[in-house]
Amino acid sequence: MQVQTAQSQSVSESPVSQIEAVEVEISVVLGRSVLPMSQLLRMGRGAVIPLDASEHDEVWILANNHPVARGEIEIREDRIAITVTRAADVYDFMAGAA
């Protein structure tokens, strides 16, 4: 009897509710930097790592570490927001283009 109940529940779930159950990690890449391991190991709390980007460059938006879009940083009151500007070019991301 329990098997029938479980099957009927999975069949009755709508595709939208199944999609809503999927978790996606969103990351924003501001820039990149290449450092020797020795320099990285010497860094402590509060260390500053220079990036290959300026404050007006587009950022990469990643979904589960896969580039999906480009965007711009906006500061709204006391929050940082990202506005999506265009789709990502995966080949540019892999090549390290900014």
Side-chain angles (χ1 to χ4, degrees):
M1 197 65 138
Q2 290 178 348
V3 173
Q4 291 175 347
T5 305
Q7 287 176 347
S8 64
Q9 285 178 348
S10 64
V11 171
S12 66
E13 285 185 36
S14 72
V16 173
S17 65
Q18 292 174 354
I19 290 172
E20 289 175 348
V22 175
E23 291 188 15
V24 177
E25 178 184 12
I26 301 295
S27 306
V28 176
V29 178
L30 302 171
R32 298 176 185 193
S33 185
V34 176
L35 301 172
M37 183 60 79
S38 59
Q39 183 179 354
L40 184 63
L41 292 172
R42 286 193 309 266
M43 289 184 168
R45 174 178 265 169
V48 176
I49 299 173
L51 301 176
D52 64 352
S54 71
E55 62 183 292
H56 300 292
D57 286 349
E58 284 184 309
V59 296
W60 290 98
I61 302 167
L62 311 179
N64 292 338
N65 292 322
H66 181 79
V68 293
R70 298 296 303 266
E72 295 176 347
I73 298 175
E74 293 183 15
I75 299 180
R76 297 179 182 170
E77 297 175 12
D78 62 341
R79 294 180 176 235
I80 297 174
I82 305 297
T83 300
V84 176
T85 56
R86 62 187 169 108
D89 184 337
V90 176
Y91 299 108
D92 283 346
F93 181 77
M94 296 305 180

